[in-house]
Every structure is written in C-alpha cells, then in structure tokens.
Amino acid sequence: MSTGIEIGSVTIHRIVEQEGPFFEAMHFFPTMTRERLDENRGWLQPRFLDASDRLMLCIQSYIVQTPHHTIMIDSCVGNHKPRPTRSFWHMMNSDRYEKNLAASGFSVNDIDFVMCTHLHTDHVGWNTRLENGRWVPTFPKARYLFSKKEYAYWSEVHQKTPLDNISESVLPVIEANKAELVTSDHALNDHIRLTPTPGHTPDHFAVCAGRGGDRAVFTGDLIHSPIQARYPELVMRVDTDRDQAVATRRRFFERYCDTDTLCCTMHFPSPSVGHVKRWGDGFRLEYVKD
Ligand SMILES: [Zn+2]
C-alpha cells in the first residue's frame, strides 16, 4: 500500500489516472519559440518532453488527510466520457484510477470533500460516474466545492455552446445538491483554505493545507510543465487571461520560493511534488522522492 507523504498533521496521496506524452509543446505554449525549446532540450528530454516534442504530463488527483477530513483535490478525466477531440481522453474505460485509489487505502466512501481548482475536463471527470445510463456523484458522502464565479462563467459558456464536461461532470453534482459554491479564498477550517490564482480560468484557485500555515500547496493548472517554472511568462493555449495567468504564476512561485512549503503540481510528471527554488529569472522544483 502507498503510504503518502506526511507533513505535520496532514498526509498527502497522489492518485494517478494517466501519465505520458500528451500535447505538442509548441502548440500547448503558443508563445514558445523554437530557439527556446532547443536551448532547454538538455534538461527537458526525455523526462518532461518526448522525442516528438510532446509534453510528458501526469493526470492525477491529490488526497489530503487532515485530522478532520479526507479531501480530494481535482478529479482527473473519468471513465466513459466522450471527448472526441482528445483521443487519449475519449471514452476512457480503465480501472487504473480506482485501483490506485484502493492502493492508497481509500474507497469512494471515504472522501468528505472534492475540491475542483477549476472546471476543465481533466479536473472534474471523476466527480461523476455512469450508473444505469445516468451521471451520478462518484463520491456519495462528499461535498463538492466549486468556485461560485468559476461555475457562473462556465454555466454561461455552456448555455451558448453546450460543454460535455459541464453537463456530465458538474451539473449532476449541482442537481444532486452535493455542491457548495464558494469564493476562491474560502477557508474550510484551520487546515484547509483556498487561495485565488486566476488566469488559466477566470476564478481558478489553489489549495493550501496544513495547520497554521501553508505546509503544502496544490497548484491546479496555474502551471502545467517545469518549462513554465523556468519561464513563468510562457502562457498556456487556453488561458482565459494570459497576462493575469503570468502574474499569478510569478506571484505564486515568488511566494513559495525557498520556503518549506511542499508544492504539489497537478501535471508535472511523477513525483510531481517538490520545493520551489530560484533558477535565473524563473524557478524550478527540487523534487521529493517518489
Ligand atoms: Zn489540467
């Protein structure tokens, strides 16, 4: 059984759904130049970039155990969901996620809260599962925390152009009265609070864990790949506000640089977590052992 990372009174587990090459780097980071990519190949390949210049990413959830609760942060892509424009996420039918959940000692009944840093497909998927042709909440005892503003934004988009991730992974949770719409600086209690990190989406939040301070922080998609730590100005293709995303990323990394806070990224390849260090005008993670 995987024991997780213990820091103070919280324990952190990574529940991996997928890991490997996904998006083409030059496409994913539209302001990346060929020269810059070439300059950085030495440390990027093969761990963070494959031979075809595709980014190596991890799709995962974090589970944080505090003295009070068992909390899931982000819920990956999920099974049986049609994502025709993303072949690697289309109609997944894998037991890997549930097996990894079990290997860390959890069942779906153990989760008290699910927190979605934002409402993109790969962060809301396991919010629901298919049961007799209907999408039902996967974690029957959980309250699901979404940003009220983030939810309002995507609801409006969804009304104009229906979005599968909203109709399949978000609305069924709302309809089941399992959702709590909160502000992106919401404090759950003395161990868990949200912190606003907008830019990738309008009201994206990060999650801070640990009694009396930030012992660990969960980035969501304020960063996708270590190349964006090295160059915080590299925007991601679908950032809703690029300038804001850059400012958020830089502020976040400045804040945690050279501190004891464990930075838990959502998409960096395993082990995905480490301490923030300076690297030139940017940053890097000093990874903890897996
Ligand atoms: Zn993501």
Side-chain angles (χ1 to χ4, degrees):
M1 189 181 291
S2 143
T3 51
I5 304 169
E6 235 182 274
I7 33 170
S9 51
V10 301
T11 306
I12 297 164
H13 299 263
R14 297 169 54 233
I15 313 296
V16 173
E17 184 187 53
Q18 286 177 291
E19 183 156 13
F22 285 90
F23 305 93
E24 207 272 311
M26 294 288 289
H27 181 65
F28 198 75
F29 299 125
T31 58
M32 171 93 90
T33 61
R34 179 62 61 190
E35 293 70 33
R36 174 158 285 181
L37 192 61
D38 288 343
E39 257 169 52
N40 289 276
R41 259 174 218 293
W43 65 273
L44 284 173
Q45 283 176 327
R47 188 172 175 196
F48 305 117
L49 192 71
D50 80 351
S52 313
D53 283 354
R54 285 177 303 177
L55 294 166
M56 301 295 286
L57 301 175
C58 190
I59 312 292
Q60 63 190 323
S61 296
Y62 283 94
I63 291 183
V64 185
Q65 279 181 296
T66 77
H68 316 297
H69 297 117
T70 300
I71 293 158
M72 171 173 283
I73 302 171
D74 287 342
S75 64
C76 303
V77 175
N79 271 353
H80 312 298
K81 304 205 167 176
R83 301 288 177 262
T85 59
R86 304 249 184 277
S87 57
F88 38 77
W89 291 342
H90 184 56
M91 298 301 278
M92 293 215 316
N93 189 6
S94 163
D95 60 2
R96 185 174 178 190
Y97 186 78
E98 283 156 306
K99 275 190 169 160
N100 285 344
L101 194 64
S104 288
F106 300 103
S107 85
V108 294
N109 290 308
D110 294 325
I111 307 299
D112 300 308
F113 289 94
V114 177
M115 301 181 173
C116 296
T117 59
H118 63 301
L119 301 182
H120 279 162
T121 292
D122 56 317
H123 298 259
V124 297
W126 280 104
N127 282 1
T128 58
R129 63 187 174 83
L130 203 53
E131 186 183 81
N132 301 322
R134 284 181 56 234
W135 296 107
V136 299
T138 303
F139 307 99
K141 296 180 182 163
R143 304 293 298 165
Y144 289 67
L145 264 60
F146 307 139
S147 147
K148 186 175 183 171
K149 192 172 151 191
E150 177 87 5
Y151 173 69
Y153 172 83
W154 289 111
S155 298
E156 204 182 312
V157 175
H158 178 66
Q159 271 164 19
K160 289 179 194 144
T161 316
L163 297 168
D164 289 341
N165 54 315
I166 299 300
S167 61
E168 293 162 359
S169 309
V170 176
L171 293 180
V173 174
I174 303 269
E175 283 153 16
N177 288 319
K178 301 276 190 188
E180 288 183 24
L181 300 176
V182 298
T183 56
S184 56
D185 62 355
H186 177 76
L188 184 68
N189 54 36
D190 61 344
H191 273 79
I192 296 282
R193 67 183 173 81
L194 315 184
T195 186
T197 46
H200 179 58
T201 61
D203 204 33
H204 184 287
F205 61 73
V207 181
C208 303
R211 190 186 188 97
D214 305 342
R215 302 298 300 271
V217 66
F218 300 84
T219 64
D221 278 4
L222 74 88
I223 187 161
H224 290 80
S225 162
I227 189 78
Q228 280 181 300
R230 177 81 181 90
Y231 306 106
E233 68 275 20
L234 275 182
V235 298
M236 188 271 183
R237 197 176 52 83
V238 302
D239 286 346
T240 51
D241 184 330
R242 289 181 172 186
D243 292 342
Q244 193 181 41
V246 169
T248 287
R249 189 158 39 252
R250 195 167 271 291
R251 191 172 57 240
F252 181 92
F253 278 86
E254 276 300 345
R255 175 170 175 186
Y256 293 111
C257 189
D258 295 324
T259 69
D260 291 338
T261 299
L262 193 64
C263 179
C264 303
T265 69
M266 198 48 73
H267 290 312
F268 286 22
S270 294
S272 312
V273 308
H275 295 98
V276 179
K277 304 290 174 190
R278 206 167 292 283
W279 186 6
D281 190 34
F283 306 91
R284 63 184 176 84
L285 271 200
E286 194 169 274
Y287 295 95
V288 301
K289 285 207 167 46
D290 209 2

